[in-house]
Amino acid sequence: QVQLVESGGGLVQAGGSLRLSCAASGRTFSSYAMGWFRQAPGKEREFVAAISQSAGNTGYADSVKGRFTISRDNAKKTVYLQMNSLKPDDTAVYYCAAERLSYSTVVITSRGQYDYWGQGTQVTVSS
């Protein structure tokens, strides 16, 4: 089992940058595929980015490709989301998710496949 704690959210102007962090508990962080999702008011939680156990593979939503970068440091048991060129449409609560897998190259983009979630961190982008 793993517990996840997000941080790094805040208020930023359009065009600015933020880096979100998700710190995981437990000793087997490297066995988990990780993902970032977001949920804006009145909308469903949507996929943003995902990374495989070994960090060899990543996946992104079309809306963030070229602007956001997901990475992980297995020694620090942390996954990051670097967000550049932020837009007001990026405003949402951002959630970190984890799923333990047997295969190191798998990237999970489906919300329903993740068993573990953090509490979320608010990102607000002003115009």
PDB file of all heavy atoms in Angstrom, residues 61-78:
ATOM      1  N   ALA A  61      -1.990  13.986 -21.916  1.00  0.00           N
ATOM      2  CA  ALA A  61      -3.216  14.418 -22.567  1.00  0.00           C
ATOM      3  C   ALA A  61      -2.850  15.408 -23.677  1.00  0.00           C
ATOM      4  O   ALA A  61      -1.872  16.152 -23.554  1.00  0.00           O
ATOM      5  CB  ALA A  61      -4.139  15.076 -21.558  1.00  0.00           C
ATOM      6  N   ASP A  62      -3.635  15.421 -24.724  1.00  0.00           N
ATOM      7  CA  ASP A  62      -3.348  16.324 -25.841  1.00  0.00           C
ATOM      8  C   ASP A  62      -3.309  17.779 -25.391  1.00  0.00           C
ATOM      9  O   ASP A  62      -2.532  18.586 -25.916  1.00  0.00           O
ATOM     10  CB  ASP A  62      -4.395  16.156 -26.937  1.00  0.00           C
ATOM     11  CG  ASP A  62      -4.237  14.848 -27.700  1.00  0.00           C
ATOM     12  OD1 ASP A  62      -3.154  14.228 -27.610  1.00  0.00           O
ATOM     13  OD2 ASP A  62      -5.205  14.445 -28.369  1.00  0.00           O
ATOM     14  N   SER A  63      -4.145  18.102 -24.412  1.00  0.00           N
ATOM     15  CA  SER A  63      -4.262  19.490 -23.971  1.00  0.00           C
ATOM     16  C   SER A  63      -3.014  20.010 -23.272  1.00  0.00           C
ATOM     17  O   SER A  63      -2.851  21.229 -23.123  1.00  0.00           O
ATOM     18  CB  SER A  63      -5.471  19.638 -23.044  1.00  0.00           C
ATOM     19  OG  SER A  63      -5.334  18.789 -21.920  1.00  0.00           O
ATOM     20  N   VAL A  64      -2.123  19.111 -22.831  1.00  0.00           N
ATOM     21  CA  VAL A  64      -0.936  19.557 -22.096  1.00  0.00           C
ATOM     22  C   VAL A  64       0.365  19.185 -22.800  1.00  0.00           C
ATOM     23  O   VAL A  64       1.445  19.566 -22.329  1.00  0.00           O
ATOM     24  CB  VAL A  64      -0.923  19.013 -20.649  1.00  0.00           C
ATOM     25  CG1 VAL A  64      -2.227  19.351 -19.943  1.00  0.00           C
ATOM     26  CG2 VAL A  64      -0.665  17.509 -20.614  1.00  0.00           C
ATOM     27  N   LYS A  65       0.293  18.460 -23.889  1.00  0.00           N
ATOM     28  CA  LYS A  65       1.508  18.068 -24.608  1.00  0.00           C
ATOM     29  C   LYS A  65       2.323  19.285 -25.000  1.00  0.00           C
ATOM     30  O   LYS A  65       1.793  20.259 -25.509  1.00  0.00           O
ATOM     31  CB  LYS A  65       1.140  17.261 -25.855  1.00  0.00           C
ATOM     32  CG  LYS A  65       0.888  15.803 -25.591  1.00  0.00           C
ATOM     33  CD  LYS A  65       0.554  15.062 -26.888  1.00  0.00           C
ATOM     34  CE  LYS A  65       0.210  13.616 -26.621  1.00  0.00           C
ATOM     35  NZ  LYS A  65      -0.195  12.904 -27.846  1.00  0.00           N
ATOM     36  N   GLY A  66       3.620  19.192 -24.754  1.00  0.00           N
ATOM     37  CA  GLY A  66       4.510  20.290 -25.090  1.00  0.00           C
ATOM     38  C   GLY A  66       4.600  21.358 -24.018  1.00  0.00           C
ATOM     39  O   GLY A  66       5.473  22.225 -24.081  1.00  0.00           O
ATOM     40  N   ARG A  67       3.703  21.305 -23.025  1.00  0.00           N
ATOM     41  CA  ARG A  67       3.722  22.291 -21.942  1.00  0.00           C
ATOM     42  C   ARG A  67       4.036  21.660 -20.588  1.00  0.00           C
ATOM     43  O   ARG A  67       4.687  22.294 -19.758  1.00  0.00           O
ATOM     44  CB  ARG A  67       2.371  23.009 -21.854  1.00  0.00           C
ATOM     45  CG  ARG A  67       1.975  23.744 -23.113  1.00  0.00           C
ATOM     46  CD  ARG A  67       0.718  24.591 -22.885  1.00  0.00           C
ATOM     47  NE  ARG A  67      -0.448  23.795 -22.522  1.00  0.00           N
ATOM     48  CZ  ARG A  67      -1.143  23.963 -21.400  1.00  0.00           C
ATOM     49  NH1 ARG A  67      -0.801  24.890 -20.531  1.00  0.00           N
ATOM     50  NH2 ARG A  67      -2.198  23.200 -21.154  1.00  0.00           N
ATOM     51  N   PHE A  68       3.567  20.449 -20.372  1.00  0.00           N
ATOM     52  CA  PHE A  68       3.759  19.769 -19.088  1.00  0.00           C
ATOM     53  C   PHE A  68       4.760  18.619 -19.264  1.00  0.00           C
ATOM     54  O   PHE A  68       4.813  17.981 -20.315  1.00  0.00           O
ATOM     55  CB  PHE A  68       2.448  19.178 -18.581  1.00  0.00           C
ATOM     56  CG  PHE A  68       1.418  20.188 -18.132  1.00  0.00           C
ATOM     57  CD1 PHE A  68       1.572  21.542 -18.368  1.00  0.00           C
ATOM     58  CD2 PHE A  68       0.288  19.757 -17.456  1.00  0.00           C
ATOM     59  CE1 PHE A  68       0.617  22.459 -17.957  1.00  0.00           C
ATOM     60  CE2 PHE A  68      -0.683  20.650 -17.030  1.00  0.00           C
ATOM     61  CZ  PHE A  68      -0.526  22.006 -17.288  1.00  0.00           C
ATOM     62  N   THR A  69       5.519  18.362 -18.205  1.00  0.00           N
ATOM     63  CA  THR A  69       6.460  17.245 -18.200  1.00  0.00           C
ATOM     64  C   THR A  69       6.347  16.485 -16.885  1.00  0.00           C
ATOM     65  O   THR A  69       6.455  17.086 -15.810  1.00  0.00           O
ATOM     66  CB  THR A  69       7.903  17.735 -18.374  1.00  0.00           C
ATOM     67  OG1 THR A  69       8.014  18.485 -19.596  1.00  0.00           O
ATOM     68  CG2 THR A  69       8.868  16.552 -18.420  1.00  0.00           C
ATOM     69  N   ILE A  70       6.133  15.188 -16.989  1.00  0.00           N
ATOM     70  CA  ILE A  70       6.093  14.337 -15.804  1.00  0.00           C
ATOM     71  C   ILE A  70       7.448  13.655 -15.642  1.00  0.00           C
ATOM     72  O   ILE A  70       8.086  13.271 -16.622  1.00  0.00           O
ATOM     73  CB  ILE A  70       4.956  13.292 -15.901  1.00  0.00           C
ATOM     74  CG1 ILE A  70       4.798  12.547 -14.571  1.00  0.00           C
ATOM     75  CG2 ILE A  70       5.171  12.339 -17.064  1.00  0.00           C
ATOM     76  CD1 ILE A  70       3.544  11.674 -14.521  1.00  0.00           C
ATOM     77  N   SER A  71       7.883  13.533 -14.399  1.00  0.00           N
ATOM     78  CA  SER A  71       9.138  12.842 -14.110  1.00  0.00           C
ATOM     79  C   SER A  71       9.035  12.206 -12.738  1.00  0.00           C
ATOM     80  O   SER A  71       8.091  12.482 -11.988  1.00  0.00           O
ATOM     81  CB  SER A  71      10.321  13.823 -14.169  1.00  0.00           C
ATOM     82  OG  SER A  71      10.177  14.843 -13.199  1.00  0.00           O
ATOM     83  N   ARG A  72       9.993  11.358 -12.408  1.00  0.00           N
ATOM     84  CA  ARG A  72       9.980  10.716 -11.099  1.00  0.00           C
ATOM     85  C   ARG A  72      11.398  10.488 -10.628  1.00  0.00           C
ATOM     86  O   ARG A  72      12.323  10.325 -11.431  1.00  0.00           O
ATOM     87  CB  ARG A  72       9.208   9.399 -11.134  1.00  0.00           C
ATOM     88  CG  ARG A  72       9.828   8.311 -11.975  1.00  0.00           C
ATOM     89  CD  ARG A  72       8.876   7.112 -12.109  1.00  0.00           C
ATOM     90  NE  ARG A  72       8.650   6.444 -10.833  1.00  0.00           N
ATOM     91  CZ  ARG A  72       7.643   5.595 -10.621  1.00  0.00           C
ATOM     92  NH1 ARG A  72       6.771   5.327 -11.602  1.00  0.00           N
ATOM     93  NH2 ARG A  72       7.508   4.999  -9.448  1.00  0.00           N
ATOM     94  N   ASP A  73      11.543  10.471  -9.321  1.00  0.00           N
ATOM     95  CA  ASP A  73      12.813  10.153  -8.684  1.00  0.00           C
ATOM     96  C   ASP A  73      12.523   9.015  -7.716  1.00  0.00           C
ATOM     97  O   ASP A  73      11.985   9.237  -6.624  1.00  0.00           O
ATOM     98  CB  ASP A  73      13.357  11.386  -7.952  1.00  0.00           C
ATOM     99  CG  ASP A  73      14.742  11.151  -7.361  1.00  0.00           C
ATOM    100  OD1 ASP A  73      15.077   9.988  -7.051  1.00  0.00           O
ATOM    101  OD2 ASP A  73      15.482  12.123  -7.193  1.00  0.00           O
ATOM    102  N   ASN A  74      12.835   7.805  -8.108  1.00  0.00           N
ATOM    103  CA  ASN A  74      12.486   6.644  -7.285  1.00  0.00           C
ATOM    104  C   ASN A  74      13.259   6.628  -5.968  1.00  0.00           C
ATOM    105  O   ASN A  74      12.766   6.110  -4.967  1.00  0.00           O
ATOM    106  CB  ASN A  74      12.720   5.360  -8.069  1.00  0.00           C
ATOM    107  CG  ASN A  74      11.642   5.122  -9.111  1.00  0.00           C
ATOM    108  OD1 ASN A  74      10.570   5.735  -9.076  1.00  0.00           O
ATOM    109  ND2 ASN A  74      11.919   4.248 -10.068  1.00  0.00           N
ATOM    110  N   ALA A  75      14.452   7.191  -5.951  1.00  0.00           N
ATOM    111  CA  ALA A  75      15.217   7.250  -4.705  1.00  0.00           C
ATOM    112  C   ALA A  75      14.535   8.158  -3.686  1.00  0.00           C
ATOM    113  O   ALA A  75      14.566   7.900  -2.480  1.00  0.00           O
ATOM    114  CB  ALA A  75      16.631   7.731  -4.984  1.00  0.00           C
ATOM    115  N   LYS A  76      13.902   9.216  -4.180  1.00  0.00           N
ATOM    116  CA  LYS A  76      13.192  10.154  -3.293  1.00  0.00           C
ATOM    117  C   LYS A  76      11.727   9.803  -3.161  1.00  0.00           C
ATOM    118  O   LYS A  76      10.987  10.484  -2.443  1.00  0.00           O
ATOM    119  CB  LYS A  76      13.333  11.586  -3.831  1.00  0.00           C
ATOM    120  CG  LYS A  76      14.753  12.119  -3.797  1.00  0.00           C
ATOM    121  CD  LYS A  76      14.804  13.562  -4.277  1.00  0.00           C
ATOM    122  CE  LYS A  76      16.223  14.106  -4.186  1.00  0.00           C
ATOM    123  NZ  LYS A  76      16.306  15.520  -4.656  1.00  0.00           N
ATOM    124  N   LYS A  77      11.265   8.772  -3.876  1.00  0.00           N
ATOM    125  CA  LYS A  77       9.870   8.336  -3.832  1.00  0.00           C
ATOM    126  C   LYS A  77       8.935   9.503  -4.160  1.00  0.00           C
ATOM    127  O   LYS A  77       7.931   9.733  -3.461  1.00  0.00           O
ATOM    128  CB  LYS A  77       9.534   7.702  -2.482  1.00  0.00           C
ATOM    129  CG  LYS A  77      10.318   6.424  -2.228  1.00  0.00           C
ATOM    130  CD  LYS A  77       9.842   5.683  -0.997  1.00  0.00           C
ATOM    131  CE  LYS A  77      10.257   6.368   0.275  1.00  0.00           C
ATOM    132  NZ  LYS A  77       9.922   5.570   1.478  1.00  0.00           N
ATOM    133  N   THR A  78       9.261  10.213  -5.212  1.00  0.00           N
ATOM    134  CA  THR A  78       8.512  11.403  -5.578  1.00  0.00           C
ATOM    135  C   THR A  78       8.301  11.444  -7.088  1.00  0.00           C
ATOM    136  O   THR A  78       9.203  11.100  -7.854  1.00  0.00           O
ATOM    137  CB  THR A  78       9.252  12.670  -5.121  1.00  0.00           C
ATOM    138  OG1 THR A  78       9.426  12.620  -3.701  1.00  0.00           O
ATOM    139  CG2 THR A  78       8.461  13.925  -5.470  1.00  0.00           C
TER     140      THR A  78
END
